[in-house]
Amino acid sequence: MSKDPFNKPRMAINRVYTRQGDGGETGLVGGQRVPKDGARIEAYGTVDELNSFLGLARATVNQLAIERPELLLLGAILLRVQHELFNLGSILATLPEDVHPKQPRVTDAEIAQLEHEMDAMNEDLPLLRSFVLPGGSRLDAELHVGRTVCRRAERMVIALGRVESVPAEAVRYLNRLSDSLFVWSRWAGHMAGAPETLWEPNQSASGQADNR
């Protein structure tokens, strides 16, 4: 693979508003005008939402890393993934017939990297005996929010794939990323010494009532 497999951005943003979307339509990479609530827009819009939540988690990592420098590894991974999500958004915002050979996208290399990182981090973690409730720490909760938004993005891309062509790598990447976010939440808590909150069915109101 060449050093730069993808084209770099060619754009100049002079002003943010254009008024072209006031009628409820937006433009795809190929120039087509489509409804803002269309399946393709929902898909890459949710990927964009996920990117924002990962930015929030990365900001938290940077704060915590002042005292826990081992978390810088996660910060670097999150930054890379944010770039990858923009690449994914690029390909989702393009109709199949308009895709350029060097257009940014996610590939099997990105999927393999996520798997490698998950395997490495899992080696440091204790076995789970129950499901994990988000909220062991602020970072844990932010990563779990990212996980659930990632699952929604995956569902949106699958839905889009029922009516239009979608690269298979897009679904696989989001599937693997949601798993990664779960592992990262556990790993970050482990590195920071934050206890996990495990699901206990009898901590419900009805379960506690039986123990009174």
Side-chain angles (χ1 to χ4, degrees):
M1 184 177 290
S2 64
K3 184 175 182 295
D4 293 312
F6 304 132
N7 287 331
K8 294 186 177 181
R10 298 175 183 175
M11 56 194 302
I13 301 176
N14 295 320
R15 64 180 185 182
V16 175
Y17 68 91
T18 64
R19 300 192 179 97
Q20 293 181 13
D22 292 352
E25 292 186 341
T26 190
L28 298 178
V29 170
Q32 300 89 346
R33 302 296 296 178
V34 295
K36 287 187 174 183
D37 60 351
R40 187 168 291 275
I41 313 306
E42 288 282 3
Y44 73 73
T46 308
V47 169
D48 185 35
E49 181 184 354
L50 171 59
N51 206 331
S52 296
F53 278 114
L54 295 195
L56 179 62
R58 183 163 63 88
T60 300
V61 167
N62 290 337
Q63 291 178 339
L64 295 175
I66 296 173
E67 296 183 359
R68 300 278 185 174
E70 58 271 23
L71 290 175
L72 288 173
L73 170 62
L74 178 57
I77 291 174
L78 290 174
L79 178 57
R80 188 197 76 234
V81 168
Q82 286 188 274
H83 287 295
E84 292 171 356
L85 288 173
F86 248 92
N87 289 355
L88 175 58
S90 168
I91 209 72
L92 291 175
T94 308
L95 294 180
E97 60 267 27
D98 293 327
V99 173
H100 188 276
K102 295 192 69 175
Q103 185 167 339
R105 68 195 72 197
V106 291
T107 71
D108 287 335
E110 281 74 36
I111 297 167
Q113 183 64 25
L114 290 175
E115 292 175 348
H116 171 74
E117 289 161 348
M118 270 194 288
D119 290 342
M121 288 183 171
N122 253 329
E123 291 180 358
D124 297 328
L125 301 176
L127 291 176
L128 271 178
R129 302 299 181 186
S130 182
F131 292 102
V132 178
L133 302 184
S137 68
R138 181 182 181 87
L139 178 57
D140 169 81
E142 289 170 352
L143 291 170
H144 273 285
V145 170
R147 175 183 61 81
T148 56
V149 174
C150 187
R151 285 297 190 197
R152 176 153 50 87
E154 180 186 5
R155 295 194 297 271
M156 294 290 189
V157 173
I158 290 172
L160 173 61
R162 297 191 190 283
V163 294
E164 298 186 47
S165 177
V166 170
E169 295 85 358
V171 176
R172 292 205 303 274
Y173 178 82
L174 289 169
N175 188 15
R176 216 66 83 250
L177 179 57
S178 61
D179 291 337
S180 295
L181 283 158
F182 176 74
V183 173
W184 295 341
S185 70
R186 296 196 68 214
W187 182 86
H190 183 69
M191 292 294 107
E196 289 186 312
T197 305
L198 299 181
W199 172 48
E200 297 183 25
N202 289 316
Q203 287 300 309
S204 64
S206 56
Q208 292 178 348
D210 291 341
N211 293 323
R212 289 173 187 168

Coordinates of all heavy atoms in Angstrom, one line a residue, residues 33-91:
R33 N -28.7 16.6 -5.3 CA -29.5 17.1 -4.2 C -30.5 16.1 -3.7 O -31.2 15.5 -4.5 CB -30.2 18.4 -4.6 CG -29.4 19.5 -5.2 CD -28.4 20.1 -4.2 NE -29.1 20.7 -3.1 CZ -28.5 21.3 -2.0 NH1 -27.2 21.2 -1.9 NH2 -29.2 21.8 -1.1
V34 N -30.4 15.8 -2.4 CA -31.3 14.8 -1.8 C -31.9 15.3 -0.5 O -31.4 16.2 0.1 CB -30.5 13.5 -1.5 CG1 -29.9 12.9 -2.8 CG2 -29.3 13.8 -0.5
P35 N -33.1 14.7 -0.1 CA -33.7 15.1 1.1 C -32.8 14.9 2.3 O -32.1 13.9 2.4 CB -35.0 14.2 1.2 CG -35.2 13.8 -0.2 CD -33.9 13.7 -0.8
K36 N -32.8 15.8 3.3 CA -32.0 15.7 4.5 C -32.4 14.5 5.4 O -31.6 14.1 6.2 CB -32.0 17.0 5.3 CG -31.2 18.1 4.6 CD -31.2 19.4 5.5 CE -30.3 20.4 4.9 NZ -30.1 21.6 5.8
D37 N -33.6 14.0 5.2 CA -34.0 12.9 6.1 C -33.9 11.6 5.3 O -34.5 10.6 5.8 CB -35.4 13.1 6.6 CG -36.5 13.3 5.5 OD1 -36.1 13.4 4.4 OD2 -37.7 13.3 5.9
G38 N -33.2 11.5 4.2 CA -33.1 10.3 3.5 C -32.2 9.3 4.2 O -31.4 9.7 5.1
A39 N -32.2 8.1 3.8 CA -31.5 7.0 4.4 C -30.0 7.2 4.4 O -29.3 6.9 5.4 CB -31.9 5.6 3.8
R40 N -29.5 7.7 3.3 CA -28.0 7.9 3.2 C -27.6 9.0 4.1 O -26.5 9.0 4.8 CB -27.7 8.2 1.7 CG -26.2 8.3 1.5 CD -25.8 8.3 0.0 NE -26.1 7.1 -0.6 CZ -25.3 6.0 -0.7 NH1 -24.1 6.1 -0.1 NH2 -25.6 4.9 -1.3
I41 N -28.4 10.1 4.2 CA -28.0 11.2 5.1 C -28.1 10.8 6.6 O -27.3 11.1 7.4 CB -28.9 12.4 4.9 CG1 -29.1 12.7 3.4 CG2 -28.4 13.6 5.6 CD1 -27.7 12.9 2.6
E42 N -29.2 10.0 6.9 CA -29.3 9.5 8.2 C -28.1 8.6 8.6 O -27.6 8.7 9.7 CB -30.5 8.6 8.4 CG -31.9 9.4 8.4 CD -32.1 10.0 9.7 OE1 -31.3 10.0 10.6 OE2 -33.2 10.7 9.8
A43 N -27.6 7.9 7.7 CA -26.4 7.0 7.9 C -25.2 7.8 8.2 O -24.5 7.6 9.3 CB -26.2 6.0 6.7
Y44 N -24.8 8.7 7.3 CA -23.5 9.4 7.6 C -23.7 10.5 8.6 O -22.7 10.9 9.2 CB -22.8 9.9 6.3 CG -23.4 11.0 5.5 CD1 -23.3 12.3 6.0 CD2 -24.0 10.8 4.3 CE1 -23.8 13.4 5.3 CE2 -24.5 11.9 3.5 CZ -24.4 13.2 4.0 OH -24.9 14.2 3.3
G45 N -24.9 10.9 8.8 CA -25.2 11.9 9.9 C -25.0 11.3 11.3 O -24.5 11.9 12.2
T46 N -25.4 10.0 11.4 CA -25.2 9.3 12.7 C -23.7 9.0 12.9 O -23.2 9.0 14.0 CB -26.0 8.0 12.7 OG1 -27.4 8.3 12.4 CG2 -26.0 7.3 14.1
V47 N -23.0 8.7 11.8 CA -21.5 8.5 11.9 C -20.9 9.8 12.4 O -20.0 9.8 13.2 CB -20.9 8.1 10.5 CG1 -19.4 8.1 10.5 CG2 -21.4 6.6 10.2
D48 N -21.4 10.9 11.9 CA -20.8 12.2 12.4 C -21.2 12.5 13.8 O -20.3 13.0 14.6 CB -21.5 13.3 11.5 CG -20.9 14.7 11.8 OD1 -19.7 14.8 12.1 OD2 -21.7 15.7 11.7
E49 N -22.4 12.1 14.3 CA -22.7 12.2 15.7 C -21.8 11.3 16.5 O -21.3 11.8 17.6 CB -24.2 11.7 15.9 CG -24.7 11.8 17.3 CD -26.1 11.2 17.4 OE1 -26.7 10.9 16.4 OE2 -26.5 11.1 18.6
L50 N -21.5 10.1 16.1 CA -20.5 9.3 16.8 C -19.2 9.9 16.9 O -18.5 9.9 18.0 CB -20.4 7.9 16.1 CG -19.3 7.0 16.5 CD1 -19.5 6.6 18.0 CD2 -19.3 5.7 15.6
N51 N -18.7 10.5 15.8 CA -17.4 11.2 15.8 C -17.4 12.3 16.9 O -16.4 12.4 17.6 CB -17.2 11.8 14.5 CG -15.7 12.0 14.2 OD1 -14.9 12.1 15.1 ND2 -15.4 12.0 12.9
S52 N -18.5 13.0 17.1 CA -18.5 14.1 18.1 C -18.4 13.5 19.5 O -17.7 14.0 20.4 CB -19.8 14.9 18.0 OG -19.9 15.5 16.7
F53 N -19.1 12.4 19.7 CA -19.0 11.8 21.1 C -17.6 11.2 21.4 O -17.2 11.3 22.5 CB -20.1 10.7 21.2 CG -21.4 11.2 21.6 CD1 -22.5 11.0 20.7 CD2 -21.7 11.7 22.8 CE1 -23.8 11.5 21.0 CE2 -22.9 12.2 23.1 CZ -24.0 12.1 22.2
L54 N -17.0 10.7 20.3 CA -15.6 10.2 20.5 C -14.7 11.4 20.8 O -13.7 11.3 21.6 CB -15.1 9.5 19.3 CG -15.8 8.1 19.0 CD1 -15.0 7.3 18.1 CD2 -16.1 7.4 20.3
G55 N -15.0 12.6 20.2 CA -14.2 13.8 20.5 C -14.3 14.2 22.0 O -13.4 14.6 22.6
L56 N -15.6 14.0 22.5 CA -15.8 14.3 23.9 C -15.0 13.4 24.8 O -14.4 13.8 25.8 CB -17.3 14.2 24.2 CG -17.7 14.4 25.6 CD1 -17.4 15.8 26.1 CD2 -19.2 14.2 25.8
A57 N -15.0 12.1 24.5 CA -14.3 11.1 25.2 C -12.8 11.3 25.1 O -12.1 11.2 26.2 CB -14.6 9.7 24.7
R58 N -12.3 11.8 24.0 CA -10.9 12.0 23.8 C -10.5 13.2 24.7 O -9.4 13.2 25.3 CB -10.5 12.3 22.4 CG -9.1 12.5 22.1 CD -8.7 12.3 20.6 NE -9.4 13.3 19.8 CZ -8.9 14.5 19.5 NH1 -7.8 14.9 20.0 NH2 -9.6 15.3 18.7
A59 N -11.3 14.2 24.8 CA -11.0 15.4 25.7 C -10.9 14.9 27.1 O -10.1 15.4 27.9 CB -12.1 16.4 25.5
T60 N -11.8 14.0 27.5 CA -11.8 13.5 28.9 C -10.5 12.7 29.1 O -9.8 12.8 30.2 CB -13.0 12.6 29.2 OG1 -14.2 13.4 29.0 CG2 -12.9 12.1 30.6
V61 N -10.1 11.9 28.1 CA -8.8 11.1 28.2 C -7.7 12.1 28.4 O -6.8 11.9 29.3 CB -8.6 10.3 27.0 CG1 -7.2 9.8 26.9 CG2 -9.6 9.1 26.9
N62 N -7.6 13.2 27.7 CA -6.5 14.1 27.8 C -6.4 14.7 29.2 O -5.3 15.0 29.7 CB -6.6 15.2 26.7 CG -6.4 14.6 25.3 OD1 -5.7 13.6 25.1 ND2 -6.9 15.3 24.3
Q63 N -7.6 15.0 29.8 CA -7.6 15.5 31.1 C -7.1 14.5 32.1 O -6.2 14.8 33.0 CB -9.0 16.0 31.5 CG -9.5 17.2 30.7 CD -10.9 17.6 31.1 OE1 -11.7 16.7 31.6 NE2 -11.3 18.8 30.8
L64 N -7.6 13.3 32.0 CA -7.2 12.2 33.0 C -5.7 11.8 32.8 O -5.1 11.4 33.7 CB -8.1 11.0 32.8 CG -9.6 11.2 33.1 CD1 -10.3 9.9 32.7 CD2 -9.7 11.5 34.6
A65 N -5.2 12.0 31.6 CA -3.8 11.5 31.3 C -2.8 12.3 32.0 O -1.6 11.9 32.1 CB -3.6 11.5 29.8
I66 N -3.2 13.5 32.5 CA -2.2 14.3 33.3 C -1.7 13.5 34.5 O -0.5 13.5 34.8 CB -2.9 15.6 33.7 CG1 -3.2 16.5 32.5 CG2 -1.9 16.4 34.7 CD1 -4.0 17.7 32.8
E67 N -2.6 12.7 35.1 CA -2.3 11.9 36.2 C -2.1 10.4 35.9 O -1.5 9.7 36.6 CB -3.3 12.1 37.4 CG -3.3 13.5 37.9 CD -4.3 13.6 39.1 OE1 -5.0 12.5 39.4 OE2 -4.5 14.7 39.7
R68 N -2.7 10.0 34.7 CA -2.7 8.7 34.3 C -2.2 8.6 32.8 O -2.9 8.4 31.9 CB -4.1 8.0 34.3 CG -4.7 8.0 35.7 CD -4.3 6.8 36.5 NE -4.9 6.7 37.8 CZ -4.8 5.7 38.6 NH1 -4.0 4.7 38.3 NH2 -5.4 5.7 39.8
P69 N -0.9 8.8 32.7 CA -0.3 8.9 31.3 C -0.5 7.7 30.5 O -0.5 7.7 29.2 CB 1.2 9.2 31.5 CG 1.4 8.8 32.9 CD 0.2 9.0 33.7
E70 N -0.8 6.5 31.1 CA -1.1 5.3 30.3 C -2.3 5.4 29.5 O -2.5 4.7 28.5 CB -1.2 4.1 31.3 CG -2.3 4.2 32.3 CD -1.8 4.8 33.6 OE1 -0.8 5.6 33.6 OE2 -2.4 4.5 34.6
L71 N -3.2 6.4 29.8 CA -4.4 6.6 29.0 C -4.1 7.3 27.7 O -5.0 7.3 26.8 CB -5.4 7.4 29.8 CG -6.1 6.7 31.0 CD1 -7.0 7.6 31.8 CD2 -6.9 5.5 30.5
L72 N -2.9 7.8 27.5 CA -2.6 8.4 26.2 C -2.7 7.5 25.1 O -3.0 7.9 23.9 CB -1.2 9.0 26.3 CG -1.0 10.3 27.2 CD1 0.5 10.7 27.3 CD2 -1.8 11.4 26.6
L73 N -2.5 6.2 25.3 CA -2.7 5.2 24.3 C -4.1 5.2 23.7 O -4.3 5.2 22.5 CB -2.3 3.8 24.8 CG -2.7 2.6 23.9 CD1 -1.9 2.7 22.6 CD2 -2.5 1.3 24.7
L74 N -5.1 5.3 24.6 CA -6.5 5.3 24.2 C -6.7 6.6 23.5 O -7.5 6.7 22.5 CB -7.4 5.2 25.4 CG -8.9 5.3 25.1 CD1 -9.3 4.2 24.1 CD2 -9.7 5.1 26.4
G75 N -6.2 7.7 24.0 CA -6.4 9.0 23.3 C -5.9 9.0 21.8 O -6.6 9.5 20.9
A76 N -4.8 8.3 21.6 CA -4.2 8.2 20.2 C -5.1 7.4 19.4 O -5.4 7.7 18.2 CB -2.8 7.7 20.3
I77 N -5.7 6.3 20.0 CA -6.6 5.4 19.2 C -7.8 6.2 18.9 O -8.3 6.1 17.7 CB -6.9 4.2 20.0 CG1 -5.6 3.3 20.2 CG2 -8.0 3.4 19.4 CD1 -5.8 2.1 21.1
L78 N -8.4 6.9 19.8 CA -9.6 7.6 19.5 C -9.4 8.7 18.4 O -10.3 8.9 17.6 CB -10.1 8.3 20.8 CG -10.7 7.4 21.9 CD1 -11.0 8.2 23.2 CD2 -11.9 6.7 21.4
L79 N -8.3 9.3 18.4 CA -8.0 10.3 17.4 C -8.0 9.7 16.0 O -8.5 10.2 15.0 CB -6.7 11.1 17.7 CG -6.3 12.1 16.6 CD1 -7.4 13.2 16.4 CD2 -5.0 12.8 17.1
R80 N -7.3 8.5 16.0 CA -7.2 7.8 14.7 C -8.6 7.4 14.2 O -8.9 7.5 13.0 CB -6.3 6.5 14.9 CG -6.0 5.8 13.5 CD -5.5 4.4 13.7 NE -6.6 3.5 14.1 CZ -6.6 2.7 15.1 NH1 -5.6 2.7 16.0 NH2 -7.7 1.9 15.4
V81 N -9.4 6.9 15.1 CA -10.7 6.5 14.8 C -11.6 7.6 14.3 O -12.4 7.5 13.4 CB -11.4 5.7 16.0 CG1 -12.9 5.5 15.7 CG2 -10.7 4.4 16.2
Q82 N -11.4 8.8 14.9 CA -12.1 10.0 14.4 C -11.8 10.3 12.9 O -12.7 10.6 12.1 CB -11.8 11.2 15.2 CG -12.5 11.2 16.6 CD -12.3 12.5 17.4 OE1 -11.3 12.7 18.0 NE2 -13.3 13.4 17.2
H83 N -10.5 10.1 12.6 CA -10.1 10.3 11.1 C -10.8 9.2 10.3 O -11.3 9.5 9.2 CB -8.6 10.2 11.0 CG -7.9 11.4 11.5 ND1 -8.0 12.6 10.9 CD2 -7.0 11.5 12.5 CE1 -7.2 13.5 11.5 NE2 -6.6 12.9 12.5
E84 N -10.9 8.0 10.8 CA -11.5 6.9 10.1 C -13.0 7.1 9.9 O -13.5 6.7 8.8 CB -11.2 5.5 10.8 CG -9.7 5.2 10.8 CD -9.3 4.0 11.7 OE1 -10.2 3.5 12.4 OE2 -8.2 3.6 11.6
L85 N -13.6 7.7 10.9 CA -15.0 7.9 10.8 C -15.3 9.0 9.7 O -16.3 8.9 9.0 CB -15.6 8.3 12.1 CG -15.7 7.2 13.1 CD1 -16.2 7.7 14.5 CD2 -16.7 6.1 12.7
F86 N -14.4 10.0 9.6 CA -14.6 10.9 8.5 C -14.4 10.2 7.2 O -15.1 10.5 6.2 CB -13.6 12.1 8.7 CG -14.3 13.4 9.0 CD1 -14.5 13.8 10.3 CD2 -14.8 14.2 8.0 CE1 -15.1 14.9 10.6 CE2 -15.4 15.4 8.3 CZ -15.6 15.8 9.6
N87 N -13.5 9.3 7.1 CA -13.3 8.5 5.8 C -14.6 7.7 5.5 O -15.0 7.7 4.4 CB -12.1 7.6 6.0 CG -10.8 8.3 6.0 OD1 -10.7 9.5 5.8 ND2 -9.7 7.6 6.2
L88 N -15.1 7.1 6.6 CA -16.4 6.4 6.4 C -17.5 7.3 5.9 O -18.3 7.0 5.0 CB -16.8 5.7 7.7 CG -18.1 5.0 7.7 CD1 -18.2 3.9 6.6 CD2 -18.3 4.3 9.1
G89 N -17.6 8.5 6.5 CA -18.6 9.4 6.1 C -18.5 9.9 4.7 O -19.5 10.1 4.0
S90 N -17.2 10.0 4.2 CA -17.0 10.4 2.8 C -17.6 9.4 1.9 O -18.2 9.7 0.9 CB -15.5 10.5 2.6 OG -15.2 10.6 1.2
I91 N -17.4 8.1 2.1 CA -17.8 7.1 1.2 C -19.4 6.9 1.3 O -20.0 6.7 0.3 CB -17.1 5.7 1.5 CG1 -17.1 4.9 0.2 CG2 -17.8 4.9 2.5 CD1 -16.1 5.4 -0.9

